[in-house]
């Protein structure tokens, strides 16, 4: 390993502060590439050592266990991969651009479409990989092209239609999103802002946006709402240690004190068992557990 690369790789890096749950253990290896060349080097190193790769954006949809993540965690650091450009109704955003920044800028440009994503705290890379969104729409709807780098170092470019956007997935597998191209629609700045305010107010009323969480824990089963099933199971406010089913939105688990990842997982299992017992529905995880 050359010295420059050696300086970039950290060992036993605590991941707690990199996730919105604020829990979790260590990454055995951790790197923060700040540009494509560095990312390529880091991936080459991972490949040469046969390391598992874990991609970390803003950590707002990940639960890191209390133990060690065995492999190389590649974190897109704040401020890197941060280019955001516009030409007419087309917008290009690199993976590290925060979703709130993208939404804010496009609204200033009088471009509508992304209002539905207001209140989602992730990065563009994470949002594309997860096809982030909700009842008002998803990011995949607006994507025209996506550039990625495979864990094997190969670059890819996909046009709309070549990315399989599904419910909370873009089906990209072992690839890191580098950049997304979006095509939005012209609109009035005032109307876009108004729509954003309405959606944000609705979310603030119904979701614990200021608590430590990772958003919705479970996917909605077809035709049903996971939150409603958990609520009807009488689990709002149910706790395991410092982990609690939110009283505002039953599909959010919040770290209300100093929860461990183990307590959050235990609560997840209990909620699943109870919903299965009462309704015969097995809830699938939306969040990623490392
Ligand atoms: C308060 C709150 C509200 C939320 N509301 C919503 C909501 O309404 N709708 C919704 O969909 N989500 C919601 N989320 C979850 C989360 O914010 C989104 O899924 C977000 O898009 C994840 O982005 P991230 O950068 O934090 O990804 P991370 O949490 O870091 O990663 C999530 C997944 O994406 C992968 N990933 C991250 N970056 C990249 C990349 N560059 N290339 C390839 N893969 C990558 C990771 O490996 C992981 O599998 C919410 C979370 C919180 C805390």
């Amino acid at each position: 390993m050359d010295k420059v690369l050696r300086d970039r790789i950290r060992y036993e890096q605590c991941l707690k502060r990199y996730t919105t749950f604020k829990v979790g253990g260590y990454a055995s290896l951790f790197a923060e590439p700040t540009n494509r060349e560095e990312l390529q080097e880091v991936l080459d190193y991972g490949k040469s050592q046969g390391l598992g790769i874990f991609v970390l954006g803003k950590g707002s949809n990940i639960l890191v266990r209390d133990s060690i993540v065995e492999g190389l965690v590649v974190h897109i650091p704040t401020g890197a991969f941060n280019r955001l450009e516009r030409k007419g109704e087309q917008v290009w955003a690199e993976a590290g651009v925060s979703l709130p920044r993208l939404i804010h800028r496009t609204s200033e440009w009088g471009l509508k479409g992304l209002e539905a994503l207001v209140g989602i705290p992730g990065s563009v890379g994470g949002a594309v990989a997860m096809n982030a969104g909700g009842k008002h729409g998803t990011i995949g709807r607006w994507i025209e092209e996506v550039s990625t780098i495979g864990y094997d170092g190969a670059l890819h470019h996909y046009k709309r239609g070549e990315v399989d956007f599904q419910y909370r997935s873009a089906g990209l597998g072992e690839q890191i999103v580098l950049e997304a191209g979006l095509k939005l629609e012209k609109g009035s700045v005032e109307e876009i802002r108004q729509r954003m305010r309405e959606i944000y107010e609705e979310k603030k009323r119904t979701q614990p946006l200021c608590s430590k969480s990772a958003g919705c824990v479970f996917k909605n089963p077809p035709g049903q709402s996971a939150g409603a099933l958990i609520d009807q199971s009488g689990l709002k406010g149910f706790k395991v240690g410092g982990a609690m089913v939110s009283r505002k939105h039953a599909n959010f688990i919040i770290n209300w004190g100093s929860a461990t990842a183990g307590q959050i997982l235990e609560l997840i299992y209990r909620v699943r068992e109870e919903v299965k017992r009462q309704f015969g529905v097995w809830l699938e995880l939306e969040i990623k557990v490392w």
Side-chain angles (χ1 to χ4, degrees):
M1 199 195 311
D2 73 26
K3 184 177 174 321
V4 180
L5 179 56
R6 197 168 59 231
D7 290 347
R8 254 193 263 302
I9 305 261
R10 302 213 282 271
Y11 298 87
E12 300 206 353
Q13 172 67 48
C14 181
L15 296 175
K16 216 176 230 184
R17 72 182 174 92
Y18 296 100
T19 73
T20 51
F21 258 138
K22 303 289 175 220
V23 299
Y26 293 80
S28 53
L29 290 101
F30 181 89
E32 290 190 315
T34 57
N35 57 47
R36 289 186 187 200
E37 292 69 37
E38 291 179 11
L39 176 56
Q40 184 95 48
E41 273 179 47
V42 163
L43 289 174
D44 286 349
Y45 175 70
K47 193 172 156 192
S48 70
Q49 302 298 306
L51 298 169
I53 303 291
F54 297 82
V55 187
L56 179 61
K58 302 267 179 223
S60 64
N61 214 28
I62 293 175
L63 173 60
V64 178
R65 290 176 200 269
D66 298 313
S67 49
I68 286 199
V69 178
E70 292 288 359
L72 173 59
V73 171
V74 179
H75 179 227
I76 306 294
T78 302
F81 298 90
N82 207 23
R83 196 163 47 82
L84 177 56
E85 280 174 11
R86 169 226 183 168
K87 192 172 169 199
E89 286 131 65
Q90 283 174 294
V91 173
W92 291 270
E94 282 194 299
V97 171
S98 87
L99 212 48
R101 176 173 164 229
L102 175 65
I103 299 165
H104 182 72
R105 289 297 285 159
T106 53
S107 74
E108 280 180 346
W109 290 332
L111 295 176
K112 68 176 178 188
L114 301 182
E115 309 83 82
L117 306 178
V118 97
I120 303 181
S123 64
V124 165
V128 171
M130 295 298 300
N131 190 18
K135 66 177 179 183
H136 299 291
T138 59
I139 194 163
R141 153 78 177 78
W142 304 99
I143 300 282
E144 280 292 299
E145 52 187 324
V146 178
S147 301
T148 69
I149 183 167
Y151 294 179
D152 60 0
L155 294 168
H156 303 272
H157 187 84
Y158 301 100
K159 292 272 174 221
R160 173 162 197 83
E162 293 174 339
V163 184
D164 186 21
F165 285 112
Q166 301 280 344
Y167 177 37
R168 295 298 161 273
S169 166
L172 289 170
E174 298 198 334
Q175 300 182 58
I176 301 178
V177 174
L178 294 173
E179 188 173 40
L182 301 97
K183 182 138 195 258
L184 303 174
E185 291 172 357
K186 272 203 194 105
S188 112
V189 173
E190 205 26 65
E191 278 169 29
I192 296 167
R193 291 256 166 91
Q194 180 57 26
R195 182 88 187 111
M196 282 166 60
R197 270 194 295 272
E198 282 163 16
I199 293 177
Y200 187 71
E201 284 306 318
E202 180 194 334
K203 287 200 175 177
K204 214 168 69 177
R205 218 175 38 249
T206 56
Q207 299 179 4
L209 294 184
C210 295
S211 301
K212 290 178 272 184
S213 83
C216 287
V217 171
F218 300 103
K219 291 183 180 169
N220 290 321
Q224 286 177 299
S225 149
L229 290 169
I230 300 166
D231 188 5
Q232 286 156 27
S233 301
L235 291 167
K236 269 190 173 168
F238 186 69
K239 290 178 195 157
V240 172
M244 177 170 82
V245 175
S246 163
R247 293 183 201 282
K248 250 189 178 176
H249 192 307
N251 201 8
F252 279 61
I253 285 180
I254 61 174
N255 171 5
W256 64 278
S258 43
T260 61
Q263 290 167 346
I264 294 173
L265 272 176
E266 172 73 25
L267 184 53
I268 287 173
Y269 298 145
R270 298 241 201 137
V271 166
R272 256 188 173 163
E273 292 296 335
E274 191 56 23
V275 169
K276 174 76 178 155
R277 194 182 67 76
Q278 293 199 36
F279 296 99
V281 176
W282 185 248
L283 294 175
E284 270 185 42
L285 282 183
E286 175 175 327
I287 58 169
K288 306 289 180 191
V289 180
W290 286 5

